[in-house]
Amino acid sequence: MKILIIGGVAGGASAAARARRLNEDATIIMFERGPYVSFANCGLPYHIGGDIKDRENLILQSPESFLARFNVDVRVNNEVLSIDRQSKAVTVSHLTTGETYQESYDYLILSPGASPVVPPIPGIANPLTFSLRNIPDMDNIIQVIGNKNVKHATVVGGGFIGLEMMEAFHQLGINTTLVEMAHQVMTPIDKEMAAFAHQEIRQHGIDLRLGVALSSAHHDVEEKRLVLTLNNGETLNTELLIMAIGVRPENHLAKSAGLTIGKLGGIQTNKHMQTNDPSIFAVGDAVEVEDFVIKSPTLVPLAGPANRQGRMAADNIMGRSEQYQGTQGTAICKIFDLAVASTGKNEKQLLEQALPYEKVYVHGASHASYYPGAQTVSFKLLFNKSSGKIYGAQAVGKKGVDKRIDIIAVAQRAGMTVDQLQHLELTYAPPYGSAKDIINQAAFVATNIIKGT
């Protein structure tokens, strides 16, 4: 059996390791067009900001370690140009030598990921504008910061990467402007919950500009800076620009091979992560998955789902019958001293789907309030009043946020109702929790609403 994997990082690397564990004799070749095959892309902003000191800690596996540990032939700086489904072969370009060659396969796994969205803004192609997807991107940003003694940076986009880059620049003592076209940062949460984040950002001296977009950029070579024009007519001088407005699935290889692309632009797969070609599987940020809550197609570019999908694709190639059970979009982001997290659907999405819902808010202590160090956790729970179904939850605070959202993520996947949340028996000691946890309290309030109390 010969398995080719296009793309490493989370999905592809997980598929390679799992395939080897299930079959010692298969030939496994993994292609990566960049110089690094398995790296912690979620950690890139934290190395720029100095939290992760050693760059080598971001590199999880090398071609040599993959070969030594898993007997996987990893070919970095090799880009797959096309897929010939009839002959079951791919055409590959070795980017270092310029050589082009073909490689046959029995099974093919696509894990090309997603690429940063950079709209056609006039002047955006300049040497002071970057996106952050991989280690070379990170290295280039660090080099500019060091060489040009950057005093001011601008980040466009208030998602995870944008917020993490904003904090990294702040830690480096660089004055920072954050520009977000929406009226809030972190669109997975609702606006009133995002207000906590806005307050935290502004308290740290960040120039936060909401509801505005970048219209153009002019590179002032003499002054070694960019002059940015916003759609409200304002201008902004900056020395470094990060575009972090989102990502889109890399689907061109799949599309040119005649594989089905979904309405959202992701590669379409069945529950086994199999494309419309039974010999080709697809995983990670490039695929459309089923939303766990409302069962419709969605795009969720997160490392956890990508890892699970890669493992599952390898399982199914090896004759098992594993089914992907949907994505909740459970996520958390550090914003200075604040943690902001969510799972499932938010209120905006429920309104778009015309789903009837109720919501409750609880503002409780992260652990027993009389024990030193307790911090407020603001918690929002969304549910169906008739059935008690949990639609989603959001939480903001300095401590204990991850714990509460993780609990709801598990409860939601287990099919629990808000009534059943009342009976969760969670750990309690004054340094760690409360006798009535925030989860229990939210369930009490929700049940009161359901019963008309």
Side-chain angles (χ1 to χ4, degrees):
M1 181 187 291
K2 186 175 181 180
I3 302 169
L4 303 185
I5 302 171
I6 301 175
V9 195
S14 293
R18 180 63 171 172
R20 174 56 71 222
R21 290 189 180 106
L22 295 178
N23 188 323
E24 289 193 4
D25 301 317
T27 298
I28 305 171
I29 304 173
M30 183 157 54
F31 302 99
E32 172 57 52
R33 68 182 171 203
Y36 301 95
V37 65
S38 180
F39 59 92
N41 52 357
C42 297
L44 302 181
Y46 297 106
H47 178 60
I48 293 172
D51 291 311
I52 299 173
K53 302 295 184 187
D54 191 347
R55 178 181 178 277
E56 296 306 307
N57 289 340
L58 298 172
I59 302 171
L60 307 178
Q61 293 282 350
S62 66
E64 295 75 21
S65 66
F66 247 113
L67 182 64
R69 184 175 179 185
F70 298 110
N71 192 23
V72 171
D73 179 2
V74 175
R75 302 179 186 178
V76 295
N77 298 311
N78 277 250
E79 182 175 11
V80 176
L81 302 177
S82 63
I83 302 167
D84 186 339
R85 291 168 51 196
Q86 296 300 114
S87 61
K88 297 184 75 170
V90 300
T91 301
V92 188
S93 172
H94 193 300
L95 300 179
T96 305
T97 66
E99 173 198 2
T100 299
Y101 63 97
Q102 287 198 325
E103 199 73 58
S104 63
Y105 65 84
D106 294 309
Y107 290 98
L108 179 64
I109 301 175
L110 303 179
S111 180
S115 56
V117 175
V118 181
I121 295 171
I124 200 69
N126 64 72
L128 299 180
T129 297
F130 300 88
S131 55
L132 181 62
R133 185 189 185 191
N134 51 41
I135 287 181
D137 292 338
M138 177 191 75
D139 291 340
N140 289 334
I141 292 168
I142 291 172
Q143 185 177 26
V144 168
I145 292 171
N147 291 348
K148 297 187 181 299
N149 191 25
V150 172
K151 301 294 185 186
H152 185 278
T154 299
V155 179
V156 177
F160 293 102
I161 295 294
L163 291 167
E164 289 161 3
M165 285 303 303
M166 169 200 72
E167 185 170 350
F169 288 142
H170 181 270
Q171 286 186 197
L172 295 172
I174 298 172
N175 292 323
T176 306
T177 297
L178 178 64
V179 177
E180 169 56 56
M181 186 167 63
H183 291 280
Q184 65 167 90
V185 300
M186 278 197 75
T187 53
I189 64 172
D190 291 313
K191 190 176 180 182
E192 75 281 11
M193 300 298 283
F196 293 103
H198 299 162
Q199 183 181 25
E200 182 79 2
I201 290 167
R202 288 183 171 123
Q203 283 180 345
H204 281 79
I206 303 297
D207 175 19
L208 178 61
R209 305 196 186 193
L210 300 172
V212 293
L214 179 63
S215 294
S216 67
H218 169 67
H219 184 200
D220 187 336
V221 179
E222 191 173 320
E223 294 292 332
K224 299 179 181 179
R225 67 182 184 184
L226 297 174
V227 181
L228 307 180
T229 302
L230 307 180
N231 65 351
N232 61 0
E234 295 178 356
T235 59
L236 180 66
N237 294 326
T238 195
E239 295 156 284
L240 178 60
L241 175 61
I242 303 294
M243 296 298 294
I245 63 175
V247 296
R248 63 165 60 95
E250 286 224 1
N251 63 18
H252 65 277
L253 200 58
K255 187 183 290 186
S256 62
L259 299 178
T260 304
I261 305 299
K263 292 181 180 178
L264 302 177
I267 303 169
Q268 202 170 81
T269 66
N270 60 20
K271 287 182 178 290
H272 302 286
M273 306 313 300
Q274 195 172 35
T275 68
N276 56 300
D277 184 322
S279 299
I280 303 178
F281 292 71
V283 302
D285 296 356
V287 304
E288 288 186 11
V289 293
E290 183 182 80
D291 184 287
F292 179 81
V293 181
I294 60 176
K295 309 304 179 187
S296 63
T298 187
L299 296 170
V300 184
L302 294 172
N307 275 298
R308 294 194 298 277
Q309 292 160 14
R311 175 187 173 92
M312 190 172 296
D315 278 345
N316 292 329
I317 285 172
M318 296 302 172
R320 302 190 177 193
S321 184
E322 300 291 335
Q323 294 191 11
Y324 189 69
Q325 298 177 13
T327 300
Q328 294 159 275
T330 308
I332 189 167
C333 186
K334 176 183 178 295
I335 304 175
F336 297 110
D337 297 325
L338 210 59
V340 183
S342 64
T343 190
K345 310 311 289 180
N346 59 41
E347 195 171 345
K348 299 185 293 286
Q349 293 166 327
L350 295 173
L351 287 169
E352 288 171 4
Q353 296 291 325
L355 289 171
Y357 70 92
E358 285 285 350
K359 58 184 174 181
V360 300
Y361 299 94
V362 173
H363 306 275
S366 55
H367 58 250
S369 57
Y370 55 82
Y371 187 89
Q375 299 282 351
T376 299
V377 175
S378 294
F379 183 83
K380 178 179 183 177
L381 181 66
L382 295 153
F383 61 97
N384 183 293
K385 185 177 178 180
S386 300
S387 65
K389 178 180 179 177
I390 300 167
Y391 282 136
Q394 302 161 36
V396 181
K398 295 186 177 181
K399 293 172 64 176
V401 167
D402 52 344
K403 170 182 174 179
R404 272 69 186 203
I405 291 300
D406 283 344
I407 291 168
I408 294 296
V410 173
Q412 187 179 55
R413 191 160 285 269
M416 294 178 67
T417 63
V418 290
D419 177 69
Q420 291 170 319
L421 288 181
Q422 297 179 98
H423 307 289
L424 287 182
E425 192 169 321
L426 305 173
T427 55
Y428 164 58
Y432 302 108
S434 300
K436 287 190 293 185
D437 191 83
I438 291 167
I439 299 292
N440 302 124
Q441 292 180 43
F444 295 155
V445 179
T447 305
N448 282 343
I449 291 173
I450 290 171
K451 293 183 176 180
T453 303

